[in-house]
């Protein structure tokens, strides 16, 4: 008879958020598969638990996953833990869950904190329907394709972002989504937790003078659901061209269209110049 894989949600910053059931699960299993054993051992030390651990993360998921599965099929039980939050959510644990599903190994979730859901609850934006998009690609072509696909998404959108990429991400979102409401939460459950509410244009402006620090969750309002759909950058550029054809300067045309559409003036100006060359 096979063992069981437990997906154990762990604190995203505050150790006080560990649940008694999570602690009991760590104590009861035969071994723990951790994204980073150095991080998980700190949590186990806090709980006063000693348990054999194996490493399971992005770059060893295939090899380590097969070894973990073999032990599960041999009757051992395993707790899967990521560095913070729920395993298998925007995390290589999804592969291990799939392996267990194919092999008939039971998988049980031990609920715990989730930064995406916490930030959504704090946002004040519609929560009845939402889509979790995780991290945008660092490859510009893939990132732009992702944003293009989402520009008409009506549901509230949730993204994760690192501080060194935040400014570029907000600027790209303004280009593709227009000037929509956004809530930005950082360092959730930690000492410097903060939630700010902006429009995308104001967020871009704010972080030009305020260096981003910490891990961020971005909650963005979906596209309008009425018959009027947001303009694309190409359509905004056509409006600029139409105004210029009437004798208006490039600068004034861009300013007018940016104001009416929500596109960032500098992005629209650069796009028009590029198209002219």
């Amino acid at each position: 008879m096979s063992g069981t894989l437990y997906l154990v949600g762990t604190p995203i910053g505050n150790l006080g958020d560990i649940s008694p059931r999570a602690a009991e699960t760590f104590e009861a299993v035969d071994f723990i598969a951790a994204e980073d054993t150095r991080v998980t051992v700190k949590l186990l030390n806090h709980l006063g638990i000693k348990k054999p651990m194996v490493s399971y993360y992005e770059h060893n998921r295939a090899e380590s996953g097969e070894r973990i599965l073999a032990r599960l099929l041999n009757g051992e039980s395993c707790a899967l833990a990521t560095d913070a939050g729920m395993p298998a959510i925007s995390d290589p644990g999804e592969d291990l869950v799939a392996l267990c599903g194919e092999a008939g190994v039971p998988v049980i979730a031990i609920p715990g904190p989730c930064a995406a859901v916490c930030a959504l609850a704090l946002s004040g934006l519609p929560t009845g329907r939402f889509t979790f998009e995780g991290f945008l690609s660092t490859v510009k072509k893939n990132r732009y394709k992702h944003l293009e696909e989402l520009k008409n998404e009506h549901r509230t959108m949730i993204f994760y972002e690192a501080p060194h990429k935040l400014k570029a991400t907000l600027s790209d979102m303004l280009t593709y989504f227009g000037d929509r409401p956004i809530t930005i939460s950082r360092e959730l459950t930690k000492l410097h937790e903060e939630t700010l509410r902006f429009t995308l244009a104001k967020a871009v402006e704010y972080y030009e003078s305020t260096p981003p620090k910490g891990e961020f969750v971005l909650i963005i309002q979906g596209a309008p659901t009425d018959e009027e759909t947001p303009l694309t950058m190409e359509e905004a550029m056509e409006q600029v061209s139409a105004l210029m054809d009437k004798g208006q300067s490039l600068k004034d045309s861009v300013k007018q269209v940016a104001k009416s559409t929500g596109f960032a003036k500098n992005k629209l100006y650069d796009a028009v110049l590029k198209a002219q060359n």
Side-chain angles (χ1 to χ4, degrees), residues 29-211:
V29 295
D30 294 301
F31 69 104
I32 296 169
E35 179 181 3
D36 187 333
T37 56
R38 296 168 298 182
V39 172
T40 301
V41 77
K42 293 177 182 178
L43 176 60
L44 296 179
N45 288 340
H46 171 75
L47 297 171
I49 297 172
K50 290 186 177 182
K51 191 69 58 172
M53 285 193 288
V54 298
S55 176
Y56 178 83
Y57 62 102
E58 178 66 30
H59 300 295
N60 76 348
R61 63 165 81 184
E63 182 181 355
S64 184
E66 292 293 343
R67 288 200 298 264
I68 293 168
L69 178 61
R71 294 180 67 173
L72 288 164
L73 289 171
N74 198 40
E76 293 186 75
S77 58
C78 172
L80 178 64
T82 185
D83 287 351
M86 279 300 298
I89 301 298
S90 194
D91 172 81
E94 63 182 348
D95 286 0
L96 184 56
V97 173
L99 281 175
C100 288
E102 293 168 2
V105 173
V107 180
I108 295 176
I110 310 298
C114 176
V117 174
C118 289
L120 179 65
L122 290 168
S123 71
L125 294 174
T127 61
R129 298 181 67 210
F130 58 90
T131 174
F132 175 68
E133 300 296 327
F135 287 95
L136 290 170
S137 173
T138 56
V139 179
K140 285 186 178 182
K141 179 181 177 182
N142 295 338
R143 183 165 74 248
Y144 296 159
K145 182 175 183 291
H146 192 167
L147 292 172
E148 176 70 24
E149 291 172 348
L150 290 172
K151 68 182 181 183
N152 293 323
E153 171 59 63
H154 298 312
R155 294 169 295 181
T156 300
M157 295 176 284
I158 306 174
F159 297 86
Y160 286 161
E161 195 50 278
H164 66 282
K165 296 193 301 176
L166 181 69
K167 292 199 294 184
T169 292
L170 291 173
S171 181
D172 289 339
M173 287 177 168
L174 179 59
T175 298
Y176 282 89
F177 298 156
D179 196 15
R180 301 186 197 176
I182 179 173
T183 296
I184 300 177
S185 293
R186 72 180 187 95
E187 297 295 271
L188 287 170
T189 78
K190 299 178 184 177
L191 179 63
H192 299 293
E193 176 176 339
E194 180 179 51
T195 294
L196 301 173
R197 297 171 177 82
F198 300 104
T199 63
L200 272 165
K202 290 294 185 182
V204 169
E205 180 182 338
Y206 177 81
Y207 286 107
E208 283 299 325
S209 57
T210 305

